[in-house]
Amino acid sequence: MIRKLTIDNYDDIVGLWNRADLSYKPEGRDSRLSIASEMEANPDFFMGAYAGNKLVGTVIASWDLRKGWINRLAVDPTYRRKGVAETLIAEAEKVLRKKGAKIICALIEGYNSGSMELFKKCGYVEDRDVTYFSKRESNKV
Ligand SMILES: CC(C)(COP(=O)(O)OP(=O)(O)OC[C@H]1O[C@@H](n2cnc3c(N)ncnc32)[C@H](O)[C@@H]1OP(=O)(O)O)[C@@H](O)C(=O)NCCC(=O)NCCS
């Protein structure tokens, strides 16, 4: 079952990301403060998959007025290959389309073939000509 996440779920969210071995930025954009302010701006963008009361999956949508993005997709290792991520992607797409998104994207690290297979199954098209560049204040952000 998919539920909206709130800042009260922060510890569970981070616990899940650790269990899922997802890399995140606890001192940067994934700090409690940053997440709280993003949630305030877009409360629909933070979604959790639950098995009973246990948080077993997360996704964070984001919308930059040109494109929608799928971020922090993670599923508890014991709940994988049951379609949880597919459902989370579909929910994120729904809220992004409501915002007006006509293109929805995800950045996937080169080693992450499982995630690439997942996005392909969900209808995403890979563009191998693109290299990700960024300019950061530090590696923590
Ligand atoms: C990637 C991840 C989110 C997938 O979650 P999941 O709930 O197991 O995925 P689903 O069950 O919805 O998978 C749907 C389809 O995606 C593909 N897929 C998912 N994981 C796969 C894997 N490890 N290897 C190959 N294909 C995979 C399959 O086609 C699968 O369908 P199938 O099970 O019928 O074969 C999960 O493995 C995870 O949390 N990984 C660590 C964090 C991470 O890499 N996040 C993504 C960052 S971009």
Side-chain angles (χ1 to χ4, degrees):
M1 181 211 258
I2 306 297
R3 291 191 214 151
K4 216 186 275 186
L5 295 169
T6 71
I7 200 59
D8 293 340
N9 304 122
Y10 183 79
D11 292 336
D12 289 342
I13 294 169
V14 168
L16 169 65
W17 289 348
N18 287 327
R19 287 202 300 288
D21 207 20
L22 180 86
S23 68
Y24 65 101
K25 301 287 181 184
E27 294 171 68
R29 57 194 187 275
D30 297 308
S31 69
R32 187 184 290 268
L33 210 65
S34 296
I35 294 276
S37 89
E38 271 189 51
M39 280 174 165
E40 212 172 293
N42 284 299
D44 293 344
F45 280 6
F46 292 76
M47 285 159 273
Y50 280 84
N53 279 331
K54 188 180 175 184
L55 181 66
V56 298
T58 62
V59 69
I60 302 177
S62 62
W63 166 237
D64 65 15
L65 302 176
R66 295 178 67 93
K67 290 176 183 164
W69 291 91
I70 293 188
N71 315 272
R72 300 299 183 253
L73 179 67
V75 173
D76 187 305
T78 51
Y79 289 84
R80 287 186 187 165
R81 302 307 285 265
K82 296 173 192 297
V84 174
E86 266 188 278
T87 304
L88 285 166
I89 290 172
E91 290 296 318
E93 288 174 353
K94 229 187 267 173
V95 298
L96 286 167
R97 277 199 213 97
K98 251 195 240 165
K99 278 275 179 187
K102 291 186 171 27
I103 168 169
I104 299 173
C105 322
L107 293 170
I108 304 173
E109 284 160 306
Y111 72 86
N112 201 342
S113 53
S115 186
M116 290 187 204
E117 288 306 315
L118 165 69
F119 276 88
K120 275 185 213 160
K121 189 175 183 194
C122 293
Y124 289 69
V125 175
E126 182 182 6
D127 189 343
R128 284 213 172 246
D129 287 339
V130 174
T131 305
Y132 180 49
F133 280 67
S134 62
K135 195 180 213 179
R136 302 168 189 253
E137 274 181 19
S138 79
N139 281 333
K140 292 181 176 171
V141 296

